[in-house]
Amino acid sequence: MTDDANAPWLIVGLGNPGPEYAANRHNIGFMVVDLLADRIRGSFKRAQKAQAQVVEGRMGPPGPENRRVILAKPMSYMNLSGGPVTALRDFYKVPTAHVVAVHDELDIDYGVLRLKLGGGDNGHNGLKSMTKAMGADYHRVRCGIGRPPGRMQVADFVLKDFSSTERKDLDWFVDRAADSVECLVAEGLERAQSAYNS
């Protein structure tokens, strides 16, 4: 698969399926792709070829920067995300460099965004699974959630809902993350980094 400028983009929100996880910090990727689906007026449907929910549509302004996109939420649980993502990438013929993982990031303060291409998984089980399945050369939109307070275990922290203080800014944060995805797809990584990397 070549990195064709006209090839579709696969935007993957990482999270865990089920209402009990919906508001967890670990599910901010789902929140962002849900908002992107609203923006393109699409509703998620079960994918035929993968354990995932998908929305197909177009993103960006009319004209040459308008791109075909597939928004996806793997339904496999976080640590098995690589299988569904790779199946969707292959089914839709998406170059790996056009895959974008939107995920929570412990090593960045809450409310801060960082976009990058490639790199390690930093202990994130969703990224670990994706990288094992298809290599590391995909984009990441890293949504900072900060480190757990005191002696709280990381696993407990990421599977808890955002605090009441965090929730005051959550809509703004998710909105900004969605904006950064749209910028990345329409205008490229460098432009998106200069506009959104804090």
Side-chain angles (χ1 to χ4, degrees):
M1 280 181 276
T2 57
D3 188 1
D4 175 2
N6 297 314
W9 286 75
L10 174 61
I11 317 296
V12 180
L14 293 180
N16 287 307
E20 68 272 34
Y21 298 107
N24 288 179
R25 292 181 178 94
H26 223 17
N27 270 43
I28 194 165
F30 275 20
M31 298 173 197
V32 174
V33 294
D34 281 340
L35 178 56
L36 288 167
D38 286 346
R39 289 182 180 184
I40 65 171
R41 296 182 176 83
S43 52
F44 282 95
K45 298 176 176 61
R46 206 170 77 193
Q48 293 179 335
K49 301 289 183 181
Q51 193 179 356
Q53 292 185 350
V54 294
V55 174
E56 295 179 60
R58 300 197 76 83
M59 186 179 285
E65 290 174 354
N66 190 261
R67 301 278 184 259
R68 181 171 171 238
V69 295
I70 300 96
L71 306 174
K73 296 190 289 188
M75 293 286 113
S76 57
Y77 291 98
M78 183 70 84
N79 59 347
L80 298 172
S81 300
V85 175
T86 305
L88 291 170
R89 179 199 65 173
D90 294 347
F91 177 71
Y92 288 105
K93 297 180 171 54
V94 177
T96 301
H98 279 204
V99 176
V100 182
V102 185
H103 64 92
D104 57 306
E105 178 63 65
L106 287 160
D107 284 340
I108 301 174
D109 290 341
Y110 176 71
V112 174
L113 285 174
R114 297 268 167 77
L115 287 80
K116 70 174 188 173
L117 174 63
D121 58 58
N122 209 18
H124 192 289
N125 288 331
L127 297 181
K128 197 176 291 183
S129 178
M130 283 181 61
T131 297
K132 185 176 178 187
M134 63 182 196
D137 296 330
Y138 55 91
H139 287 87
R140 297 99 190 277
V141 175
R142 304 158 73 207
C143 303
I145 60 168
R147 282 264 159 202
R151 298 186 176 193
M152 186 187 288
Q153 294 294 313
V154 164
D156 294 333
F157 179 69
V158 298
L159 292 175
K160 278 201 168 20
D161 290 359
F162 286 99
S163 70
S164 55
T165 305
E166 289 168 334
R167 281 198 297 272
K168 289 175 187 167
D169 295 321
L170 185 58
D171 286 349
W172 171 85
F173 188 24
V174 169
D175 196 61
R176 186 169 161 78
D179 290 347
S180 77
V181 171
E182 291 181 339
C183 183
L184 170 63
V185 168
E187 301 182 58
L189 180 61
E190 278 188 34
R191 176 78 186 90
Q193 285 176 324
S194 66
Y196 294 97
N197 277 16
S198 315

